[in-house]
Amino acid sequence: MAEHAPAPRSPARDDASSLRVVDVCKHFVAPDGSDVHALEACSLTVAAGEMVALVGPSGCGKSTLLRLLTGLDRPTSGELWAGSERIEGPSAERGLVFQDPNLFPWLTVRKNIQSGLVARGVLREKRHEVDAFLRLVGLEPFADAYPHQLSGGMAQRVALARALVNHPRVLLLDEPLGALDAFTRMRMQDEVLRLWRARGTTMLLVTHDIDEAIYMCDRIVLMTPRPGRIERVIDVTLDRPRQRNSADFLALRAEILEELHFAGQAGTDAATGPQAGEPRTPEELARQLSLGAGPDAEAP
Amino acid sequence: MPTLDMPLRTMAHNPAQLPATPPARATAAPPPARAGRFAPAAFAPSAAAAVAWAVHYWVPSHQTDKPTHIYPKFLLIVLVAGVVLGLTQRLWRRVKPTAWNFPLAFASNLLHWAVASAPVLAAGVLLLCAWDLVTLKLALVPLPYFPGPDAVFQTLVNDWRSAGLGQPGLAECMTSSLALLLSGYAVGSVLGIAFGLLIGWFPVARYWGVPVMKLVGPIPATALIPMALMLFRNPTLSAVWLIALAVWFPVAMLTLSGVMNVRASYLDVARTLGAGQGYLVFRVALPAALPNIFVGLFMGMGTSFLTLVVAEGVGVQAGLGWYIDWARAYSDYAKVYAALIIMAAYFSTIMTLLFRVRDHVLVWQKGVIKW
Amino acid sequence: MALTQGAIMPRTFTPIRLAALLAAALALPLLTSCDRDAGPGAAAGSNGLTKIRVGYIGLTCEAPIFTAVEKGFFKEEGLDVELVRCQWATYKDALALGRFDVTHHLVMYFLKPIEQGLDVKFTGGIHRGCLRVQAAAKGDILTVKDLKGKTIGVPGLGTPPFMFATRVMAANGVDPSRDVKWRVYPAGELGLALDRGLVDAVADSEPIGSLLLADGKVRNVADQAKDAPYKDEYCCAVLVNGKFYEKNPRATAAATRALLKAAKWVNTNPAAAARLSVEKKYIASNVNMNAVAISNLDYAPSIAGAEKAVTQSAYDMKEAGMLAPQTDLSALAAKAFVHLDGVTDEWLNGLQVEKLADGQLPPGEDIRQYAQLLLAPGQKNCCIGRK
């Protein structure tokens, strides 16, 4: 049964839910004094209601780009736009979920979730929504638990609910499932998809897990390091729900691996020569990207 | 279109399959009541009291030939009470106090504690006996600096209403000192937390505030007496000011450290939730800094006691410090020890209360980090 | 300073530890109260002189101690003196616990402690009068009877000024426990308390009394040096550590004689004594002020006078309720005062001291003239230091 895409919405709202990155550079000085080019000349457009993944090995600048989009950092040059407004600072319109759930340890689950409402001063009007969110993430019996009593997956669900309570137009997720075990991760991927379908929020997902990117996203942005840049944007046209072992899935996966490998290699040869630990083959790259023993052997 | 209410599928399909850890209320209920074994250890305080009484009665006194009578009476009371406690020990259980059974619950809990702590109480009584031997009986240490427990007990009784010459007695000194201590502590803590928050949050405030803190903080209270007299006409206010200053320094210092150590990611998350400056300071930085703030509050409690004796030398009419100064002028050390014992009892009680407050406020801390 | 969240603090502040800490805090001044703690005294030195440690605080009225050292009176008596400088707050404890062996100090300071068991003894009277009750110069308190219903500042309950004030009040029909309010302030801040109106009158000892008079802030309501019957009573007497006396009665007698002779010398040559005290840096004061202060004290040494002071003070204190009701006064006096060999009034009467030509105060000088001198602009005075 094919799940349908989110219903179309009014143009005004569309506008505010879209993101634009225009020629953004980010440099900073490392502790040892050297200049680090985290991002170089990145440009990207994310349409309203899209689910987009930023994929790449460590050091490619994906987390930096995400942070610039939340507004917690400013670019060295270039512009970032959320709809028709420039991104100048953090806002409740752009929610954020970290790899570490970062729940406020002094608040219960319920109070963590409603902290966005308290921060904006709208608790009295919107208090009833908190129960809906608790139900949504399946944590109603734990509403009065403290974060230290929760498992990793539960905590991450609370973090998601907390990020969504303000009905943000855009949700930015920085490796949200990286700390979870494989089974929980797969369940959580389904849950995030469910949330996305239910609400139509634009989502931008940073991950180093290619399978996750292909499984969840409409488009995959491949980034490579040194300097951090956008190598290529791939449209994923597979039907939802996606099958992790289908031929198309695996072909796309191989293609992406090749792309990342060669791009990385070209960049390396051009710049500094092969480094120790650099992946030389797609299999090595796959291992680096924590894909485990992939089903490459079975790919047709 | 699926609605917002659609719940996510979790692995548990019904409540019975939810993880076993219940979201326990963080305040642990007292352990379930159960009758203890009949422990002979509950009689230990009586045995100790008997030994102490025998020593006091039969060993000849060398320090003075006129020992007083309150101390042996006290020992006899302990002996009898201890026997009664030991015989009834199985009756006393830990009961959760509620609004209507509070006196009974309090009594039961207290007696249960007494039974459980019987060995410690016995050791305390034996300590009294040792003190008696070293001072009154064998005169191993000289008068007037080391009177026996009988002198101290007698003083507690004699000086309760009046310390002589129409001056206030220990009862009034106790309430006076407590009021002074608590007001100084309250003022100092509140100002310390406010100051620490201010300089912890705003870099400009920190630039000016930290040198002030480092200069003013370590000044000993004795050096500040003239300033206290100049600032306040009312001697009670000068005394409160001296104590408040002594408390302010550690509380401000540790609030500063707590605020500066708040995890940046908490602040980032809060900002993406639409938090303004007020929320960030009072609802993120302050709660995150609370463990450190409590360390400061405990330190401040200690310093406030040490400053009490000095603070009461600026014209107050009564108080434990005032009483101690007078007693030292007379070299009447029985009075000094009596007052010190009362101060130690105060300190112990207030610290216990402070720990309880902390346990309630910091209920969210993981058990392993608790101190 | 990186105390992380949940810093570990052990529960060390148990009540026993606090009591110990407080006791140590109270005792610490004692440990640090004297400059040097040489070994036990009265060992025979290499030069045949007996070693003895003499304590002092650095007060105007300790002139006999400085004189005895500088003029060699101790040496004459066969004593090798080591001076030990101490603080007022722990002075009696320092003497009782053997930080030094002999000194002279206020009789009323020691009587109650001796009743409590302090092991020190009086051996001879040094001077009369150094305690005063004073009221604001601009106020309306003129006599002791005016003190009824007023507030009085004292350096401490149980200190000699307090005891003197109590005795004076009791003698004038004012009940010290009901008719006045007592407030404790550190001795150096009594003037400030009076200025600020926190108290109506103060009771103090030298040098505070002379300082306040020189400042023109106060008038005397009662003066131990001038008012009967106190003017014949000895305020300060020679004191010796009990154990030292038991082991070295001869050295004790020698030291007493030296100090009494010095007292007589000071009485005869007050200006010279003042010069000596200041120039040799025993006290930080102005020579002229010091001379006037010394001459106001009556340094006429006496044995009988000291014994009388002890018994009279003890009697008054018991009447005022400061001594325990069961205390036997004659036993207390016997414990407190010892008669030493060779230290008698006959010996004192026959004692000759030199009279220096420039050693006396010029006639007609009195404290008001010196107050004028001191208050004149441009006059430096290291005692007052405020002008």
Side-chain angles (χ1 to χ4, degrees), chain A residues 39-235:
Chain A
L39 287 175
E40 200 71 56
C42 293
S43 292
L44 178 65
T45 307
V46 178
E50 264 198 305
M51 165 100 71
V52 171
L54 298 178
V55 177
S58 338
C60 67
K62 50 194 198 292
S63 291
T64 311
L65 183 58
L66 199 80
R67 213 177 150 80
L68 292 176
L69 281 166
T70 58
L72 289 168
D73 258 338
R74 303 285 205 89
T76 312
S77 70
E79 295 165 356
L80 299 122
W81 294 84
S84 53
E85 284 170 16
R86 275 193 75 163
I87 296 179
E88 304 273 302
S91 151
E93 293 292 332
R94 291 183 296 282
L96 175 61
V97 178
F98 286 100
Q99 180 168 19
D100 182 329
N102 274 315
L103 299 181
F104 298 130
W106 51 89
L107 296 176
T108 57
V109 163
R110 177 189 295 278
K111 292 214 163 118
N112 259 291
I113 293 178
Q114 72 188 31
S115 56
L117 302 175
V118 175
R120 282 168 51 225
V122 297
L123 181 65
R124 204 169 312 159
E125 301 97 65
K126 308 238 170 133
R127 193 191 276 273
H128 53 278
E129 289 191 14
V130 177
D131 286 308
F133 277 104
L134 275 168
R135 239 171 311 161
L136 187 65
V137 295
L139 288 173
E140 256 187 308
F142 293 86
D144 293 317
Y146 280 96
H148 75 264
Q149 295 168 303
L150 303 176
S151 70
M154 293 158 79
Q156 197 61 284
R157 280 189 267 159
V158 177
L160 270 171
R162 177 176 67 176
L164 290 171
V165 77
N166 280 327
H167 299 279
R169 300 243 159 83
V170 175
L171 189 62
L172 302 156
L173 304 114
D174 192 347
E175 306 205 34
L177 310 178
L180 304 173
D181 63 271
F183 301 106
T184 317
R185 200 183 318 153
M186 288 197 285
R187 275 206 329 274
M188 289 292 291
Q189 287 165 1
D190 283 329
E191 288 172 4
V192 171
L193 278 175
R194 200 175 294 278
L195 279 167
W196 172 64
R197 266 196 297 278
R199 306 169 59 89
T201 319
T202 310
M203 292 201 186
L204 189 59
L205 175 71
V206 164
T207 179
H208 58 250
D209 183 343
I210 298 186
D211 277 342
E212 184 171 287
I214 301 175
Y215 184 71
M216 295 179 69
C217 301
D218 296 326
R219 282 196 296 157
I220 300 181
V221 176
L222 299 178
M223 296 181 72
T224 44
R226 274 186 309 279
R229 63 192 180 281
I230 294 179
E231 193 62 35
R232 191 182 142 196
V233 179
I234 299 178
D235 286 316

Side-chain angles (χ1 to χ4, degrees), chain B residues 225-226 228-230 232-233 235 313-315, chain C residues 136 151-155 183-203 208 212 217-218 386:
Chain B
I225 288 177
L229 291 176
M230 284 303 302
F232 301 97
R233 270 216 71 186
V314 280
Chain C
T151 310
I152 305 192
V154 285
R183 294 275 185 278
V184 172
Y185 290 96
E189 322 296 346
L190 284 170
L192 184 57
L194 201 59
D195 278 346
R196 302 272 294 152
L198 299 165
V199 292
D200 303 308
V202 293
I208 306 291
L212 292 175
K217 284 188 192 178
V218 297
R386 277 188 285 269

